[in-house]
Amino acid sequence: MMMAAQVEIVDNGEIIDSLSHHASGDYSSTILLREENHEYDVVKNCFLSGMGLHAAETTVVSVRKTSAQRITAKAKLAASNVFAEAMKRKNGGDANVRYGWYSGSKEEIERIVSYGFSSSEVEKFEKDDRSHGVGVHFLHHTCSKAAAILGEADEEGIEHLLLCRLILGKPERIIVGSKQTYPSSSEYDCGVDNLENPRKYVIWSCNMNSYILPSHVVSFKSPTLRGLIRGGGGGLGRARSPCVSFPILMSILSKSLDRPRMNVILTTYVDFRKGKVRREQLIRKMREVVGDELLLDIIKNHRNSD
């Protein structure tokens, strides 16, 4: 199937080759796809099909594809093709090219699309005890809901996910909590959570700008999913009350917790403000330290006081 795209894209779970390398005259980092464009439909359907029950109430605001009109962008595309060919020769003819979602803020994704991945993206996982190694983490293209939960809404309440083309080569299983930063041997090229049915891909920092090619940015709104994230899941997700801001929550918790527990939360909160941990990691830590019952009481009391 021929389409005006720079890279392969996903259609109904399959990889289809895009042979045309022509794009519009837009020289920015991304090109806005029109809704009547087939490529728009393919990426949109890929995203919504992974949103599960939240798909019906999720609105796709825009789909943008990375532009290869700039000289540096053309060089990155050419380099990616070279590395894919090299991976084929290394692994008996199969480069194992897949697509995965990357979660980040609007500013982070814009920076990645313009300049590539950096150590700041890797550092996000260094303190995450639930990560599969220390590298750049992606979720399988059918797991857009899980990726969206990890995301962060911008000032307009819009979230953004980055779809990337990944050269996986031969993967090795990385256990939860591992601090591995490189392949365990020259036999392997990337990490996964499960060899038979991988949902998570880990590209090591030494290969992040060789094996990763940003493809499309999907911007969307999902009120029901955002409500679940605000509450942190479980009972908190069902609480129909105003969201308590983190500064207010810190102030209230300081009056309710002993010093050791409060210090744990404050340390995580400071790391969150510095961009070292994600929003969901901060919420998870608060739930672990404080407990859902107390957090729920705080939300209810805050609602009643407004």
Side-chain angles (χ1 to χ4, degrees):
M1 185 180 300
M2 302 279 287
M3 282 171 286
Q6 302 302 327
V7 296
E8 301 167 343
I9 57 178
V10 183
D11 190 2
N12 298 323
E14 299 294 330
I15 299 292
I16 46 180
D17 291 323
S18 175
L19 303 179
S20 173
H21 287 176
H22 300 288
S24 72
D26 191 337
Y27 284 81
S28 63
S29 297
T30 59
I31 299 172
L32 180 65
L33 297 179
R34 298 179 180 274
E35 293 188 14
E36 62 269 20
N37 185 294
H38 176 67
E39 188 176 348
Y40 172 94
D41 288 334
V42 170
V43 177
K44 176 183 176 181
N45 291 337
C46 172
F47 167 72
L48 290 178
S49 65
M51 290 294 288
L53 297 176
H54 297 278
E57 297 187 36
T58 297
T59 301
V60 174
V61 178
S62 68
V63 176
R64 305 185 71 91
K65 73 174 180 179
T66 55
S67 170
Q69 293 299 298
R70 295 181 304 168
I71 294 177
T72 53
K74 289 180 179 179
K76 289 178 182 178
L77 175 59
S80 179
N81 291 333
V82 169
F83 278 109
E85 287 299 319
M87 190 66 77
K88 284 182 180 180
R89 293 195 295 271
K90 175 181 179 293
N91 293 311
D94 184 12
N96 194 17
V97 176
R98 295 290 184 268
Y99 278 79
W101 296 105
Y102 181 82
S103 302
S105 66
K106 176 183 177 181
E107 293 75 18
E108 181 184 2
I109 289 177
E110 287 178 347
R111 185 177 67 251
I112 291 170
V113 170
S114 296
Y115 305 109
F117 287 85
S118 67
S119 59
S120 61
E121 281 75 56
V122 177
E123 290 170 357
K124 291 162 58 172
F125 299 95
E126 287 184 353
K127 296 185 177 181
D128 188 352
D129 293 334
R130 300 180 67 178
S131 66
H132 296 259
V134 181
V136 185
H137 287 232
F138 295 86
L139 284 161
H140 191 279
H141 70 264
T142 61
C143 300
S144 50
K145 174 186 172 183
I149 289 176
L150 300 176
E152 180 180 333
D154 62 20
E155 64 279 359
E156 297 180 359
I158 300 174
E159 296 180 66
H160 311 270
L161 289 180
L162 179 62
L163 185 64
C164 293
R165 176 181 184 260
L166 309 173
I167 303 173
L168 299 182
K170 185 174 182 178
E172 62 178 312
R173 180 176 177 268
I174 308 297
I175 63 172
V176 175
S178 170
K179 297 303 178 183
Q180 182 173 329
T181 57
Y182 294 95
S184 61
S185 75
S186 59
E187 178 183 2
Y188 301 108
D189 305 296
C190 76
V192 294
D193 60 333
N194 185 297
L195 289 173
E196 298 300 323
N197 186 29
R199 294 181 72 252
K200 299 178 181 179
Y201 305 130
V202 182
I203 304 296
W204 307 117
S205 60
C206 56
N207 297 321
M208 60 186 177
N209 286 313
S210 302
Y211 295 172
I212 305 171
L213 186 67
S215 172
H216 296 80
V217 179
V218 177
S219 302
F220 64 96
K221 285 187 175 183
S222 185
T224 57
L225 187 66
R226 183 49 47 185
L228 176 66
I229 297 169
R230 286 197 187 104
L236 292 175
R238 294 189 293 270
R240 297 185 177 276
S241 56
C243 183
V244 181
S245 68
F246 283 131
I248 292 176
L249 190 56
M250 293 298 119
S251 176
I252 297 174
L253 289 176
S254 66
K255 302 172 185 177
S256 306
L257 300 180
D258 55 63
R259 185 178 296 274
R261 288 195 295 169
M262 193 63 209
N263 285 341
V264 171
I265 291 178
L266 284 175
T267 298
T268 309
Y269 180 59
V270 169
D271 286 343
F272 167 73
R273 293 292 300 273
K274 292 179 179 179
K276 293 182 178 180
V277 301
R278 297 185 179 187
R279 180 188 184 90
E280 78 282 355
Q281 291 175 269
L282 173 59
I283 293 174
R284 186 188 308 131
K285 179 60 68 176
M286 287 195 295
R287 295 182 68 191
E288 291 174 357
V289 174
V290 181
D292 286 353
E293 186 175 348
L294 178 55
L295 283 176
L296 213 64
D297 286 340
I298 290 173
I299 292 175
K300 291 177 180 178
N301 291 335
H302 178 74
R303 177 194 60 191
N304 294 334
S305 65
D306 287 344

